[in-house]
């Protein structure tokens, strides 16, 4: 899909005619807007003018005071463009703290470069930007631009508070709809907004919004800041016109104009697939083999030109070239499944580790990625077609548990991808540690990961041995002078389980006491959040994905030693999760042992700000239990 990050930025940074006498003195900023701010949006006017179903002008007048180097990201003096989006005007003026003009920039002074991400073979995305190095802080930049485009399916939303540590003195959003095309609005967190309307448009204004301070585990920024979205019911996408007021109609348009007819495959490939599937009787097994065929015979390369940024290239071209972007590879896989009369659906999604949903209540062009859906009676199958290593029906944290748009011949449908429960996101470790009297040790760690952790670890097997050793040393920094003998892996793609078997030696696991040794019973600390203290927290907090950890540590004590004291059992149960640890002394084949069993479950969910201190107490208690110790003494 066309790079949505670029598009969002593009829609945030458009505009026209320079401010007249602008009040840019820093002393005029209210003190409440300085607190927690790295920058202050002094005055912004965004003007959207629809001239026709395929003609839109976007103007921005924007002045921003940059208070320090961290505020530079809010300057916003750049504009994305391509063959469909034309920059008609662009200029800027820089002022010092007293409001004195420092430097003026005309359109010819802006620099230009490609806006192509790595892995993109072709793209017409470019950016024109102001290259200015601050001579000191604070300073104010007044930026204006005007852009004209034939694509009206995207109308720049209004999110005046565009990031943390940015205050807003005033921001106005103007919308003018000259042809009177029916349109829809969606308002979020707009309780204190001034609104005006007239025959062919409207205006929204917001003033004096203090900066939001980033707080640990805050929900998605869009959940709590003011936001306005606008969509036309008749629109154009790079010359392709459409009409839709809901997801069913919108999906139907996408199918008819972007996907229909793109399912033809070469005869020689169809024969290959026929041979590959000989004797295979179930659709599920056929789908697995087809998915593997795609992984073995194609690779991901992005292609973003014109309507090709939204419509997949033909399957025959993917077949011939052996590459494609997410749209092309997904549609190619779909075409192969179609050849075997296996139903599948092209699915548009917002991909990213931070979960983001398509808005189920507001139909418009959304998403930045495409995956494939195979409907099933019990639980649908999902395929990530851009990866050469991802197992069949595995999504991981890039596309899990979020709204997607299924594009079907009869229209669109919003559904949710698989959500991995905390019980599936399990890392289970069994460790045997043989202690020597010197404090040195030999250890064997066997760990199996499933669910989300599986997708974050199985790539380890393709790394060099040196990188694998570095991986373990970084994760076990408390273990000293490690010498690795064996590192082996088993990747069970069928069950989506990844098993590590690591054998190594180390030193100084115990500390010498007058009458024995001190031993930490948690050989590997449980992975918890590093929860900072936040006084007077303002925002709720969220755990996006729950996880489970089950660990056993079996210590074999040096000959002639026993455990003098054993930590008591601990069992913590809270609304955030549970933590249980048990330690017991025993004996195996004449060797004294200490056996530790530990379970930690962290639930996913969202909690109000006043619960944060309780969550912090829960994590602090677990961290303290990670330091449990026992004393080993010599037998008398």
């Amino acid at each position: 899909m066309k790079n949505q990050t670029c598009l969002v930025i593009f829609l945030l940074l458009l505009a026209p005619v320079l401010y007249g006498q602008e009040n840019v003195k820093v002393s005029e900023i209210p003190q409440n807007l300085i607190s927690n701010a790295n920058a202050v949006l002094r005055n912004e006017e965004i003007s959207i003018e629809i001239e026709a179903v395929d003609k839109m002008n976007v103007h921005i007048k924007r002045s921003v005071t940059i208070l320090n180097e961290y505020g530079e990201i809010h300057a916003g003096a750049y504009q994305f463009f391509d063959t469909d989006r034309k920059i008609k005007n662009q200029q800027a003026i820089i002022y010092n703290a007293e409001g004195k003009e420092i430097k003026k920039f005309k359109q010819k002074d802006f620099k230009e470069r490609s806006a192509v991400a790595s892995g993109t073979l072709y793209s017409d995305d470019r950016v024109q930007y102001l290259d200015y190095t601050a001579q000191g802080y604070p300073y104010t930049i007044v930026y204006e631009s005007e852009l004209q485009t034939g694509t009206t399916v995207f109308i720049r939303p209004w999110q005046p508070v565009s990031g943390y540590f940015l205050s807003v003195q005033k921001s106005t959003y103007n919308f003018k709809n000259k042809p009177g095309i029916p349109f829809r609005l969606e308002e979020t967190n707009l309780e204190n907004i001034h609104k005006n309307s007239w025959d062919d448009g409207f205006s929204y204004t917001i003033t004096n919004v203090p900066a939001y301070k980033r707080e640990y585990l805050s929900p998605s920024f869009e959940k709590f800041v003011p936001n306005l979205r606008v969509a036309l019911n008749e629109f154009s996408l790079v010359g392709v016109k459409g009409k839709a007021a809901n997801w069913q109609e919108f999906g139907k348009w996408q199918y008819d104009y972007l996907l229909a007819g793109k399912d033809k495959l070469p005869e020689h490939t169809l024969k290959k697939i026929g041979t590959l599937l000989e004797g295979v009787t179930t659709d599920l097994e056929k789908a697995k083999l087809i998915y593997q065929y795609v992984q073995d015979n194609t690779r991901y390369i992005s292609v973003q030109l014109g309507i090709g940024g939204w419509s997949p290239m033909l399957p025959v071209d993917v077949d011939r070239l052996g590459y494609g972007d997410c749209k092309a590879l997904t549609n190619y896989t779909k075409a192969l499944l179609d050849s075997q009369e296996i139903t599948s659906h092209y699915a548009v999604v917002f991909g990213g580790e931070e979960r983001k949903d398509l808005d189920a209540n507001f139909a418009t062009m959304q998403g930045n990625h495409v995956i494939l859906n195979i409907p099933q009676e019990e639980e649908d199958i999902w395929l990530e077609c851009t990866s050469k290593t991802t197992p069949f029906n595995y999504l991981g944290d890039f596309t899990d548990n979020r709204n997607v748009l299924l594009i079907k011949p009869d229209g669109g449908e919003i559904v949710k991808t698989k959500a991995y429960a905390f019980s599936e996101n399990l890392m289970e470790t069994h460790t045997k540690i043989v202690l020597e009297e010197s404090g040195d040790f030999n250890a064997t760690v066997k760990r199996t990961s499933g669910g989300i952790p599986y997708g974050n670890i199985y790539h380890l097997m393709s790394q060099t041995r040196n990188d694998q050793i570095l991986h373990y040393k970084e994760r076990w920094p408390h273990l000293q002078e490690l010498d690795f003998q064996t590192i082996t892996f088993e990747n069970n793609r069928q069950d989506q389980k990844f098993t590590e078997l690591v054998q190594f030696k180390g030193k100084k696991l115990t500390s010498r006491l007058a009458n024995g040794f001190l031993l930490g019973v948690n050989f590997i600390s449980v992975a918890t959040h590093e929860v900072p203290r936040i006084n007077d927290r303002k925002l709720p907090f969220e755990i996006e994905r729950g996880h489970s950890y089950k660990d056993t540590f079996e210590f074999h004590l040096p000959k002639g030693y026993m455990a003098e004291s054993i930590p008591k059992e601990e069992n913590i149960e809270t609304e955030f999760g549970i933590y249980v640890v048990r330690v017991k002394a025993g004996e195996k084949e004449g060797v004294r042992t200490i056996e530790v069993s530990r379970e930690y479950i962290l639930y996913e969910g969202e909690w109000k700000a006043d619960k944060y201190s309780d969550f912090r107490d829960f994590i602090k208690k677990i961290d303290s239990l990670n330091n449990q110790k026992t004393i080993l003494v010599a037998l008398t």
Side-chain angles (χ1 to χ4, degrees):
M1 306 231 21
K2 198 97 169 174
N3 189 312
Q4 297 297 296
T5 302
C6 292
L7 280 165
V8 170
I9 295 172
F10 137 63
L11 291 166
L12 282 167
L13 305 170
L14 320 169
V17 250
L18 248 167
Y19 286 102
Q21 189 64 36
E22 186 73 18
N23 182 6
V24 292
K25 291 183 178 179
V26 174
S27 60
E28 298 296 322
I29 302 174
Q31 188 57 42
N32 70 313
L33 300 185
I34 297 291
S35 299
N36 296 326
N38 294 326
V40 180
L41 183 62
R42 307 293 299 277
N43 192 12
E44 176 183 58
E45 187 172 350
I46 301 164
S47 299
I48 311 293
E49 186 175 287
I50 307 297
E51 294 191 5
V53 73
D54 57 355
K55 187 176 181 181
M56 176 171 63
N57 294 315
V58 185
H59 305 257
I60 284 187
K61 306 174 184 179
R62 173 185 174 91
S63 62
V64 184
T65 296
I66 310 300
L67 300 175
N68 54 52
E69 60 181 310
Y70 302 107
E72 294 283 359
I73 60 172
H74 299 296
Y78 51 93
Q79 179 62 275
F80 287 91
F81 67 99
D82 56 26
T83 54
D84 183 65
R85 297 171 288 170
K86 310 290 186 183
I87 299 174
K88 310 300 289 185
N89 177 50
Q90 199 174 25
Q91 50 189 316
I93 301 177
I94 308 297
Y95 297 90
N96 67 12
E98 288 71 40
K100 181 180 178 181
E101 182 180 314
I102 298 175
K103 193 167 185 180
K104 183 180 290 186
F105 297 86
K106 297 182 179 180
Q107 186 166 358
K108 63 181 178 61
D109 300 319
F110 284 70
K111 292 189 176 181
E112 180 183 324
R113 63 175 173 80
S114 173
V116 177
S118 61
T120 299
L121 182 61
Y122 302 113
S123 176
D124 52 2
D125 277 329
R126 299 190 67 77
V127 62
Q128 199 161 293
Y129 63 98
L130 180 65
D131 185 16
Y132 174 72
T133 302
Q135 304 303 307
Y137 299 97
Y139 73 91
T140 299
I141 177 169
V142 178
Y143 172 77
E144 302 193 17
S145 70
E146 178 181 355
L147 181 134
Q148 189 175 87
T149 177
T151 292
T152 55
V153 72
F154 301 105
I155 296 178
R156 181 233 187 270
W158 184 45
Q159 186 174 304
V161 187
S162 58
Y164 290 104
F165 306 109
L166 173 69
S167 294
V168 177
Q169 197 165 358
K170 182 180 180 182
S171 177
T172 299
Y173 185 88
N174 301 313
F175 180 77
K176 191 171 186 179
N177 181 11
K178 285 184 176 180
I181 300 170
F183 65 91
R184 290 164 284 120
L185 295 178
E186 182 182 61
E187 299 180 349
T188 308
N189 304 315
L190 293 181
E191 292 80 10
N192 299 311
I193 304 298
H194 180 70
K195 307 176 187 178
N196 285 317
S197 61
W198 48 87
D199 289 343
D200 62 352
F202 60 83
S203 173
Y204 283 43
T205 299
I206 189 171
T207 58
N208 296 316
V209 182
Y212 286 95
K213 186 177 181 181
R214 185 186 298 276
E215 295 178 333
Y216 185 64
L217 296 178
S218 295
S220 170
F221 197 69
E222 292 183 351
K223 286 186 177 182
F224 53 85
V225 296
N227 202 342
L228 174 70
R229 303 180 71 175
V230 186
L232 299 176
N233 290 351
E234 297 176 37
F235 49 81
S236 176
L237 173 64
V238 197
V240 179
K241 293 183 180 179
K243 184 176 182 180
N246 54 56
W247 280 120
Q248 194 277 332
E249 295 172 353
F250 203 78
K252 174 66 174 168
W253 171 76
Q254 290 194 55
Y255 183 86
D256 289 345
Y257 289 93
L258 303 182
L259 290 180
K262 296 188 174 183
D263 57 356
K264 303 297 187 293
L265 291 161
E267 278 300 320
H268 65 86
T269 298
L270 292 174
K271 287 180 181 178
K272 277 186 191 177
I273 297 300
T275 301
L276 178 68
L277 302 181
E278 264 183 35
V280 180
T281 57
T282 69
D283 285 351
L284 179 61
E285 290 303 316
K286 288 179 181 178
K288 287 180 180 179
L289 290 170
I290 287 173
Y291 182 65
Q292 188 63 54
Y293 175 86
V294 173
Q295 289 187 311
D296 292 342
N297 290 277
T298 64
R299 70 188 192 280
Y300 172 82
I301 293 181
S302 179
V303 179
Q304 310 287 350
L305 287 172
I307 193 65
W310 307 101
S311 180
M313 60 194 283
L314 295 172
V316 290
D317 293 330
V318 176
D319 193 84
R320 173 175 56 87
L321 297 169
Y323 64 73
D325 60 14
C326 62
K327 305 178 303 295
L329 296 177
T330 298
N331 190 56
Y332 179 63
T333 308
K334 174 175 165 50
L336 291 170
L337 293 170
D338 287 346
S339 74
Q340 304 302 310
E341 299 182 348
I342 300 172
T343 300
S344 63
H345 303 304
Y346 189 91
V348 181
V349 60
F350 275 117
E353 290 183 17
E354 183 176 335
R355 210 160 58 208
K356 183 176 181 180
D357 278 313
L358 268 69
D359 189 338
N361 300 313
F362 195 74
T364 185
M365 208 73 172
Q366 298 179 41
N368 62 358
H369 189 52
V370 174
I371 55 180
L372 193 64
N373 166 267
I374 302 178
Q376 301 287 291
E377 285 187 12
E378 294 185 1
E379 185 178 42
D380 286 1
I381 290 168
W382 298 92
L383 302 182
E384 172 53 71
C385 300
T386 61
S387 170
K388 296 179 75 67
T389 60
T390 298
F392 181 83
N393 196 27
Y394 181 79
L395 291 180
D397 58 14
F398 193 70
T399 50
D400 68 314
N401 192 23
R402 64 198 75 189
N403 289 339
V404 302
L405 174 65
L406 300 186
I407 299 179
K408 304 179 181 180
D410 59 351
E413 180 186 359
I414 296 289
V415 301
K416 216 167 187 70
T417 57
K418 175 181 172 59
Y420 293 86
F422 69 82
S423 55
E424 295 176 277
N425 297 333
L426 172 64
M427 297 183 74
E428 189 166 5
T429 305
H430 299 279
T431 304
K432 177 181 177 181
I433 309 104
V434 178
L435 288 170
E436 298 177 11
E437 189 172 351
S438 63
D440 296 351
F441 65 93
N442 287 272
T444 301
V445 178
K446 182 179 182 181
R447 179 167 57 191
T448 300
S449 301
I452 296 297
Y454 168 86
N456 295 331
I457 193 65
Y458 76 82
H459 300 286
L460 190 60
M461 70 185 304
S462 62
Q463 296 181 5
T464 66
R465 181 175 172 84
N466 284 342
D467 285 341
Q468 291 166 357
I469 290 173
L470 181 61
H471 167 86
Y472 290 112
K473 286 184 175 181
E474 288 177 345
R475 278 151 186 78
W476 302 332
H478 59 292
L479 301 178
Q480 300 183 38
E481 299 182 51
L482 299 185
D483 178 20
F484 291 84
Q485 280 79 51
T486 303
I487 302 176
T488 59
F489 306 109
E490 179 186 347
N491 185 8
N492 184 338
R493 288 166 54 91
Q494 175 68 30
D495 296 331
Q496 296 168 16
K497 301 291 185 186
F498 186 75
T499 301
E500 309 157 71
L501 183 63
V502 186
Q503 294 177 308
F504 56 96
K505 296 179 180 179
K507 297 182 180 297
K508 302 176 183 176
L509 189 62
T510 58
S511 302
R512 172 72 69 174
L513 298 174
N515 61 339
F517 301 96
L518 192 64
L519 171 69
V521 298
N522 286 280
F523 182 71
I524 299 174
S525 297
V526 69
T528 61
H529 288 266
E530 294 182 7
V531 186
R533 180 188 298 277
I534 302 177
N535 295 321
D536 192 27
R537 185 183 177 105
K538 304 297 184 184
L539 300 174
F541 65 98
E542 181 179 23
I543 305 295
E544 279 201 336
R545 298 174 183 88
H547 286 82
S548 300
Y549 303 86
K550 292 183 179 179
D551 305 297
T552 60
F553 308 119
E554 184 181 284
F555 293 91
H556 289 223
L557 306 186
K559 187 175 181 180
Y561 283 86
M562 63 174 288
E564 182 181 65
S565 61
I566 296 293
K568 68 176 183 178
E569 177 180 330
E570 297 283 352
N571 191 332
I572 307 171
E573 295 188 25
T574 73
E575 61 187 292
F576 315 109
I578 66 172
Y579 183 85
V580 180
V581 60
R582 300 180 181 90
V583 184
K584 66 177 184 179
E587 187 173 316
K588 281 191 175 181
E589 299 176 353
V591 176
R592 294 182 182 273
T593 62
I594 296 174
E595 296 179 8
V596 183
S597 62
R598 184 179 68 193
E599 182 175 15
Y600 171 44
I601 296 174
L602 181 66
Y603 302 137
E604 71 173 52
E606 184 174 318
W607 292 267
K608 293 181 179 179
D610 60 8
K611 290 283 187 179
Y612 182 77
S613 60
D614 293 338
F615 176 68
R616 186 169 184 268
D617 289 342
F618 172 58
I619 298 300
K620 284 177 63 181
K621 179 66 172 175
I622 293 172
D623 289 341
S624 69
L625 292 174
N626 270 333
N627 295 318
Q628 285 181 309
K629 293 178 173 60
T630 187
I631 296 174
L632 307 182
V633 296
L635 294 169
T636 55

